Amino acid sequence: MTEPKRFALTPGEPAGIGPDLCLLLAQHAQPYPLIAVANVSLLAERALQLGLSVSLISVTPSDWPTEPAESGALYVWDTPLGAPVVAGQLNPANGHYVLETLTRAAQGCIDGHFAGMITAPVHKGVINDAGVAFSGHTEFLADLSHTPQVVMMLATRGLRVALVTTHLPLREVADAITAERVQRIARILQADLQKKFGIPMPRILVCGLNPHAGEGGHLGREEIDIIEPALQQLREEGLNLIGPLPADTLFTPKYLDHCDAVLAMYHDQGLPVLKHKGFGAAVNITLGLPIIRTSVDHGTALDLAGTGRIDTGSLSVALETAYQMAETHINE
């Protein structure tokens, strides 16, 4: 008998809005068992602060649920805090708690207990203040799963954007655009669109690096010397790649209506368009991992924690995306 799909939800920074988001989502029934990897007392205290009635049901690896919780209830894998939590006030004593929730969720995915994990925002600074070198969810999960290369992709309804480079100063981007890097990222994007999204032959639009995609070499030669030769080799391998195209015209219906994803060269080339189209309803997806991982597209919002003045839109989309990916996922 096939084990039912269940999913792990990590609330992220305990002083931020992550716990609030989990409790608000618990007001609505989910199609699969959803397990918050969190501290039960923290969630109970935050529910009281928000004036929410939520039944917190403790579960462990020995008694995983097989049916979704009813509306107004939330499964919780109780995880010990390092110190009491005050909404809006960071405490480095809880840095290791955050990492433990991520480790439990990710290892549960690797071991087959969870079909995927959904992450609420963490605060990188306070984890580093706890004495742990931490650059983000993506790098942490790549290390934990021994994955040499991952790809950051954000998606909203009608648009997916993956990045060749991510958090680099702009003056360093051109040097980072190499044929090897473009090909490596494109192959991962292609493979996960097929494997995790069920798209047999993805059509991928590729941005140029320079204005007007270099204007025939007059505005930069990266397209001629690096990007186009790299794409041509990939086309010979069977990838359906269109470009390099000028980024200022690529993000128009003429192109986007006929593609499955866009590959942008750098962070602020592709993501402003995506966030303009779907801010508050976008999802961050880590490609290349052996597990399904989706996340919100926003931060911890410490000033809003415990107030109830938050929108669950991005986390709802992250959940929906993880569910869809698990339904179409092709096991190797």
Side-chain angles (χ1 to χ4, degrees):
M1 182 176 177
T2 303
E3 190 172 8
K5 289 184 174 68
R6 63 181 71 88
F7 295 80
L9 171 61
T10 59
E13 168 52 47
I17 62 170
D20 310 46
L21 291 169
C22 296
L23 293 164
L24 288 168
L25 283 171
Q27 304 302 303
H28 308 281
Q30 299 295 320
Y32 297 102
L34 179 65
I35 299 166
V37 186
N39 182 261
V40 169
S41 296
L42 162 66
L43 293 177
E45 291 168 6
R46 193 65 60 86
L48 188 62
Q49 187 173 355
L50 293 169
L52 293 175
S53 176
V54 181
S55 174
L56 302 174
I57 306 168
S58 291
V59 297
T60 67
S62 63
D63 62 351
W64 291 133
T66 58
E67 298 294 332
E70 297 180 353
S71 59
L74 180 65
Y75 294 123
V76 185
W77 185 3
D78 191 25
T79 306
L81 285 166
V85 175
V86 178
Q89 297 182 21
L90 295 172
N91 188 340
N94 282 319
H96 289 279
Y97 157 79
V98 174
L99 297 182
E100 178 63 16
T101 65
L102 296 177
T103 300
R104 285 185 173 191
Q107 193 61 52
C109 291
I110 293 169
D111 294 341
H113 300 303
F114 304 128
M117 64 184 288
I118 302 93
T119 60
V122 298
H123 192 286
K124 299 173 188 175
V126 77
I127 296 175
N128 281 277
D129 289 342
V132 180
F134 181 83
S135 55
H137 275 114
T138 302
E139 295 82 2
F140 180 83
L141 295 174
D143 288 343
L144 182 68
S145 62
H146 307 292
T147 305
Q149 177 69 58
V150 293
V151 174
M152 178 180 177
M153 183 174 80
L154 268 73
T156 191
R157 289 177 179 86
L159 180 61
R160 302 183 185 98
V161 178
L163 302 176
V164 175
T165 65
T166 52
H167 300 119
L168 283 180
L170 195 54
R171 67 172 61 249
E172 297 178 15
V173 168
D175 289 341
I177 302 297
T178 63
E180 187 275 334
R181 186 172 194 154
V182 169
Q183 291 178 340
R184 181 163 25 98
I185 300 299
R187 290 187 182 110
I188 293 172
L189 175 58
Q190 160 93 358
D192 268 14
L193 287 173
Q194 292 176 322
K195 180 180 176 182
K196 294 178 180 175
F197 289 86
I199 303 171
M201 187 59 184
R203 180 180 170 90
I204 300 169
L205 305 182
V206 182
C207 295
L209 172 66
N210 297 295
H212 300 182
E215 194 76 66
H218 295 288
L219 296 177
R221 292 194 56 85
E222 283 83 3
E223 288 78 11
I224 294 172
D225 296 339
I226 299 170
I227 301 173
E228 174 54 35
L231 298 185
Q232 185 54 38
Q233 181 177 335
L234 292 171
R235 292 185 191 107
E236 293 170 3
E237 296 175 10
L239 277 70
N240 187 4
L241 304 171
I242 298 88
L245 297 170
D248 64 343
T249 53
L250 181 155
F251 290 100
T252 58
K254 171 185 174 182
Y255 292 107
L256 295 182
D257 288 350
H258 306 285
C259 84
D260 297 299
V262 173
L263 182 59
M265 290 295 122
Y266 58 95
H267 187 281
D268 281 13
Q269 182 182 62
L271 297 194
V273 180
L274 184 134
K275 292 197 175 186
H276 173 72
K277 179 177 174 63
F279 190 71
V283 56
N284 188 336
I285 305 161
T286 305
L287 305 180
L289 292 173
I291 64 175
I292 290 170
R293 180 259 171 165
T294 66
S295 183
V296 295
D297 70 343
H298 57 73
T300 54
L302 294 167
D303 58 321
L304 297 178
T307 69
R309 302 193 307 270
I310 59 172
D311 187 342
T312 61
S314 182
L315 188 55
S316 295
V317 176
L319 282 166
E320 292 169 10
T321 303
Y323 298 157
Q324 291 166 3
M325 291 171 69
E327 289 166 359
T328 57
H329 185 265
I330 300 171
N331 291 314
E332 293 179 334

